[in-house]
Amino acid sequence: MAAQAAQLQKWAVAELGLGMKKWTLMAVWLATMASVAQGAQGFEQQYGSHAHGVAQLDLVLDRSSLLLQLRSPAINLLGFEHRARSEAELSAVKAMVRLLQQPDKIIDIAAVAGCTLQSVEVEQALLAPVAGPAIVAEHEHEHEHEHEHEHEHEHEAQTNHRPDAEAVRSHADVDVSYEYYCTAAEKLDSISVTLFTHFPGFETLDVRLITPHVQRALTLDSHHTEIGLR
């Protein structure tokens, strides 16, 4: 059991991007899911699927701490999932990040629970457009002009102009986490998801939640947006 927990922790930090602080909360959920998935490998296969129109939301309510972690293919949020290549795509990614940084646009938490946002993290790899020939040539000129001949510059410029594996990756995900401190978490009966309104690319949202009252999984869509916490 200890070895399995360590394996789950290692996977969560590497794949979900959870720091140790957030791991202490999410560990409860992972431990619960482990018994269902029958090991870290099964859990990884279940959670790591990448399907357009589908996203995952993990929710943990532990005493006064509320943690939500959203993972979605970028195409659900943007309509594309390659690195931004044009000004229009750059603007679209930046607008997406700004929207995701406003959790009240994504979820609706009843004020009676007294939940205060403590942190927001949005992780994506779409804001690094591939360098064009001019940029590559300038970079090489600054660092190699004293050591390379002209034909070597041309060869390396052509090589470096090829998009790297990260740039052409066709299955980019966006990871978002919200952490709240709630003064009256016991009064929180449900949470509504509002992201379907802002991101029509979502078809379904697979939710996995654990609270002091319930541990379960459910699927939401634009017509069913309520997460019951009891």
Side-chain angles (χ1 to χ4, degrees), residues 6-86:
Q7 188 178 5
L8 282 167
Q9 177 177 348
K10 181 179 179 181
W11 179 81
V13 172
E15 296 297 325
L16 302 185
L18 296 178
M20 292 308 299
K21 180 180 180 181
K22 291 181 180 177
W23 164 253
T24 59
L25 290 177
M26 197 61 77
V28 182
W29 168 250
L30 291 174
T32 302
M33 286 301 296
S35 62
V36 177
Q38 307 224 339
Q41 182 178 1
F43 180 82
E44 180 175 353
Q45 291 173 348
Q46 177 180 341
Y47 193 92
S49 61
H50 178 105
H52 294 178
V54 181
Q56 293 84 36
L57 177 68
D58 282 340
L59 184 156
V60 176
L61 179 61
D62 179 33
R63 298 178 184 174
S64 59
S65 295
L66 173 63
L67 175 65
L68 301 100
Q69 176 108 12
L70 172 70
R71 165 166 283 194
S72 170
I75 197 167
N76 297 344
L77 300 155
L78 292 165
F80 62 89
E81 51 186 356
H82 53 259
R83 286 187 178 183
R85 298 169 183 162
S86 65

Side-chain angles (χ1 to χ4, degrees), residues 134-184:
I135 297 175
V136 172
E138 180 181 351
H139 175 77
E140 292 175 345
H141 177 72
E142 292 176 353
H143 295 281
E144 301 183 37
H145 67 92
E146 294 180 356
H147 306 288
E148 301 293 334
H149 297 292
E150 182 177 355
H151 70 279
E152 292 173 331
H153 278 297
E154 294 174 355
H155 173 73
E156 290 191 13
Q158 292 172 359
T159 300
N160 290 335
H161 179 50
R162 298 172 187 165
D164 57 38
E166 182 72 16
V168 299
R169 185 175 59 177
S170 61
H171 296 298
D173 287 329
V174 176
D175 294 297
V176 189
S177 63
Y178 305 115
E179 186 176 3
Y180 290 87
Y181 175 80
C182 303
T183 58

Side-chain angles (χ1 to χ4, degrees), residues 3 49 54 107-108 113 117 150 186 194 227:
S49 61
V54 181
I107 54 175
D108 184 19
L117 184 66
E150 182 177 355
E186 71 280 1
T194 58
I227 303 173

